[in-house]
Amino acid sequence: MRKKSKLFFINGAILTSTALIMRFAVLVFNVYISNQIGSEAVGVFSLVMSVYLFFITVATSGLNIAVTVIVSEKFAINKETSAIKAIRTCIFFSLLLGIFAGILILLCSSFITEKCLHNMVSSKPLFYIAIGLPFIAMSSCITSYFTSVRKAYKNAIAQVFEFIIKMFATIILLKYNISNGVEAICISLILADVIAETCSFSLIFILYIIDIKIKKLNTVRSFGQRINIIKIALPVALTSYIRSGLSTLKQLIIPTRLEESGISCANALSKYGMINGMVMPVITFPTVLINSYSMLLIPEFSTYVAQKNYKAINYISNKIFKVTCAFSICISSIFLFFSNELGLTIYNNLETGYYFKVFAPLIFFMYMDNIIDSILKGLNKQFGVMLCNVLDLSITTCFIYFLLPVLGINGFIISIFISELLNFGISLFQMVKYSKLKLNFVDWLLLPLICSFFSYFIINIFRFSFANIIINLIFDISLFVVVYILSFIIFNIFLDNN
């Protein structure tokens, strides 16, 4: 158990450190682009990306989850040959689905550009998206394989490689196209992504071949586990189509419904772009510190389920919840207490600072829901997770449709709160039901909240005023985090001794 726990944290640390560096660089780049092109253009690109993500869902169709579950289970009971047959089958299926998704987006290109993108861009970005879909689908299966066999560093290598290619491609393409309008920017960003995805797939496929050769499993040539793959992937795929379709629909109708409230199209896209393309990426950025571990929880809990080790499931769930709650409340407090400073520092805009403060309380529920969903997938309850997401999206889409014309941007904010709280509530209910987890509000909520307000009280006593707002913000947040961590550790030691 100790050896496996050590391997789990090592893999998580590798994924987290690489993802943190990459996500930070991407965030900095996106902030730069947002400041250059403005919130309206960000809104248009967000619409294109919502379409992109839907067709990625069609291309992957739950096969990555099937790989994670089957490979984890087969390796846990020493049936490596069956695991390799499963991964071969999934890669082949993902290639076919990627091609199908590419053809589908091209056939629907006229409808998408006219009805979904309001003719803000042509069908050219969709053509480049179609090229990249098969590579994205196959990559998702192979990365799931490496996650399942606890070799996260290989995914990290491919991610870093992909990021480097994407950055260079983006810089070169934008150099010539950034002054040519929104469509040229969209094409540049998507083409750079497709180039990077293709190169990344080539690398990770080579790493996969080397890995199975080292395991002496490269002689496996047949396909297998088709029934198991279909049993896992099909319900995930069907609910994913609905979930992703509803998510895309929700994003696409927001600007239109905002216009119904009486604001102009440009203003609607600007508000949508500010919240969805500028504020939300910053708020969700810290999740990189827990996303890697949450993905590793899927094979970890799948292994425990295969071994029927329910004691380990309960023990680890408690530890994970305690740490994640403390982390989530810390980040939520930072956005609440330093919202104006963050808005000015990142976007030189107080309005974004206002939205940072508005969404700060929601951060806790967003981060916790991320962890709970991963645990449920590991417990083979991915169908329940998908149904929860579908229910959430159905309800919030209705709220958006009816609230936005009446309440405007406030209706959009309310719909986001309803979505996250509903998703969290249903996910937590499922988690408690299937794992028999006992809720501990003192350790999970009360203690971190006390530490948060205590830390803010301390930094107000020792607050320094530097000439540079960035240095001032870094110092205040750093001091807040240090005091928060120290107080959290001290309070926990005190409670354990009593």
Side-chain angles (χ1 to χ4, degrees):
M1 174 73 71
R2 185 176 293 177
K3 184 178 179 181
K4 288 190 70 177
S5 297
K6 184 178 179 181
L7 188 61
F8 172 80
F9 284 107
I10 289 172
N11 276 280
I14 292 169
L15 281 175
T16 301
S17 57
T18 53
L20 180 61
I21 294 169
M22 289 167 52
R23 281 281 296 273
F24 180 73
V26 169
L27 179 64
V28 171
F29 179 75
N30 287 341
V31 167
Y32 170 76
I33 293 299
S34 299
N35 287 329
Q36 292 295 311
I37 65 177
S39 55
E40 182 183 350
V42 171
V44 175
F45 183 67
S46 296
L47 293 179
V48 176
M49 287 304 298
S50 65
V51 174
Y52 192 3
L53 292 174
F54 172 74
F55 283 95
I56 288 176
T57 302
V58 176
T60 53
S61 292
L63 290 172
N64 54 334
I65 300 296
V67 169
T68 302
V69 173
I70 293 173
V71 171
S72 298
E73 290 179 351
K74 295 304 178 184
F75 270 84
I77 56 177
N78 299 317
K79 291 187 177 181
E80 290 86 355
T81 301
S82 296
I84 298 304
K85 288 180 179 179
I87 181 68
R88 281 176 55 83
T89 306
C90 287
I91 291 172
F92 178 69
F93 283 168
S94 64
L95 172 62
L96 296 180
L97 283 167
I99 294 171
F100 169 75
I103 294 172
L104 186 63
I105 196 173
L106 292 177
L107 292 175
C108 300
S109 59
S110 297
F111 173 81
I112 292 169
T113 52
E114 182 180 347
K115 302 296 183 181
C116 302
L117 304 179
H118 311 287
N119 289 318
M120 299 298 291
V121 294
S122 69
S123 60
K124 286 182 180 179
L126 304 181
F127 172 77
Y128 294 116
I129 289 173
I131 295 173
L133 289 173
F135 300 103
I136 294 171
M138 290 186 289
S139 291
S140 70
C141 288
I142 299 175
T143 53
S144 295
Y145 163 78
F146 282 128
T147 301
S148 301
V149 297
R150 280 82 171 177
K151 291 192 175 180
Y153 70 91
K154 295 192 177 182
N155 288 342
I157 291 169
Q159 286 171 4
V160 171
F161 178 69
E162 177 185 334
F163 173 72
I164 293 170
I165 297 295
K166 184 174 181 178
M167 286 298 292
F168 275 109
T170 303
I171 291 169
I172 293 169
L173 290 169
L174 284 179
K175 182 180 179 182
Y176 296 100
N177 295 317
I178 197 168
S179 60
N180 294 332
V182 175
E183 181 174 350
I185 292 172
C186 289
I187 291 172
S188 298
L189 295 174
I190 290 170
L191 182 57
D193 185 72
V194 170
I195 293 169
E197 290 286 356
T198 305
C199 295
S200 176
F201 166 74
S202 302
L203 176 61
I204 204 162
F205 185 73
I206 292 170
L207 293 175
Y208 160 73
I209 295 298
I210 294 171
D211 187 76
I212 62 172
K213 190 173 183 179
I214 292 171
K215 288 186 173 72
K216 297 182 179 179
L217 294 169
N218 56 310
T219 55
V220 178
R221 290 287 181 267
S222 60
F223 295 90
Q225 299 293 316
R226 295 178 184 85
I227 302 300
N228 282 343
I229 290 169
I230 292 171
K231 281 183 178 178
I232 296 170
L234 184 59
V236 173
L238 292 175
T239 50
S240 291
Y241 299 153
I242 299 170
R243 178 181 58 82
S244 185
L246 285 171
S247 179
T248 301
L249 175 64
K250 184 178 81 170
Q251 297 301 324
L252 294 175
I253 67 171
I254 289 168
T256 304
R257 302 310 289 171
L258 282 174
E259 279 188 78
E260 294 291 326
S261 69
I263 62 177
S264 66
C265 178
N267 196 15
L269 285 169
S270 178
K271 293 289 185 183
Y272 169 70
M274 181 174 291
I275 292 176
N276 202 62
M278 296 169 71
V279 172
M280 283 302 173
V282 177
I283 282 178
T284 57
F285 170 73
T287 57
V288 70
L289 296 169
I290 59 173
N291 278 346
S292 301
Y293 282 107
S294 67
M295 288 303 296
L296 289 172
L297 290 174
I298 300 175
E300 207 69 30
F301 277 85
S302 294
T303 301
Y304 292 138
V305 169
Q307 296 171 344
K308 298 183 178 179
N309 191 350
Y310 300 108
K311 185 178 179 180
I313 291 173
N314 205 288
Y315 174 79
I316 293 175
S317 296
N318 270 287
K319 293 292 183 184
I320 289 167
F321 267 54
K322 185 174 182 177
V323 173
T324 308
C325 282
F327 173 77
S328 302
I329 289 174
C330 179
I331 300 300
S332 180
S333 300
I334 289 171
F335 278 100
L336 181 66
F337 297 141
F338 306 103
S339 56
N340 290 336
E341 294 91 335
L342 286 166
L344 288 172
T345 302
I346 298 172
Y347 291 112
N348 195 28
N349 188 327
L350 272 175
E351 189 174 4
T352 53
Y354 166 76
Y355 289 123
F356 285 147
K357 181 172 289 186
V358 168
F359 291 114
L362 203 60
I363 290 173
F364 171 80
F365 302 99
M366 294 168 67
Y367 290 17
M368 289 301 299
D369 185 59
N370 186 302
I371 289 290
I372 295 171
D373 281 359
S374 294
I375 294 174
L376 287 172
K377 288 173 184 176
L379 295 174
N380 204 20
K381 302 298 179 183
Q382 56 268 11
F383 184 64
V385 173
M386 293 298 177
L387 285 179
C388 170
N389 291 331
V390 168
L391 177 63
D392 156 41
L393 286 165
S394 300
I395 293 172
T396 52
T397 301
C398 290
F399 270 101
I400 285 171
Y401 189 84
F402 293 108
L403 276 182
L404 266 63
V406 179
L407 300 177
I409 197 65
N410 291 328
F412 182 30
I413 293 170
I414 292 170
S415 70
I416 294 173
F417 270 84
I418 291 170
S419 172
E420 295 298 337
L421 292 174
L422 181 65
N423 207 319
F424 169 78
I426 298 173
S427 297
L428 182 62
F429 173 78
Q430 291 183 89
M431 177 71 193
V432 173
K433 179 181 177 182
Y434 295 127
S435 68
K436 309 299 181 184
L437 181 70
K438 292 182 179 179
L439 304 179
N440 188 340
F441 293 106
V442 173
D443 281 356
W444 298 352
L445 288 176
L446 185 59
L447 183 59
L449 284 172
I450 291 171
C451 293
S452 172
F453 285 102
F454 174 75
S455 302
Y456 187 60
F457 173 75
I458 294 296
I459 67 165
N460 275 292
I461 295 175
F462 297 99
R463 188 181 288 272
F464 293 93
S465 295
F466 297 97
N468 190 300
I469 187 175
I470 298 175
I471 296 173
N472 212 58
L473 180 62
I474 292 172
F475 177 83
D476 286 344
I477 291 178
S478 299
L479 181 60
F480 176 86
V481 171
V482 169
V483 176
Y484 180 89
I485 293 172
L486 289 175
S487 59
F488 183 77
I489 293 171
I490 292 169
F491 286 144
N492 269 286
I493 292 172
F494 176 78
L495 290 174
D496 291 341
N497 292 333
N498 290 275

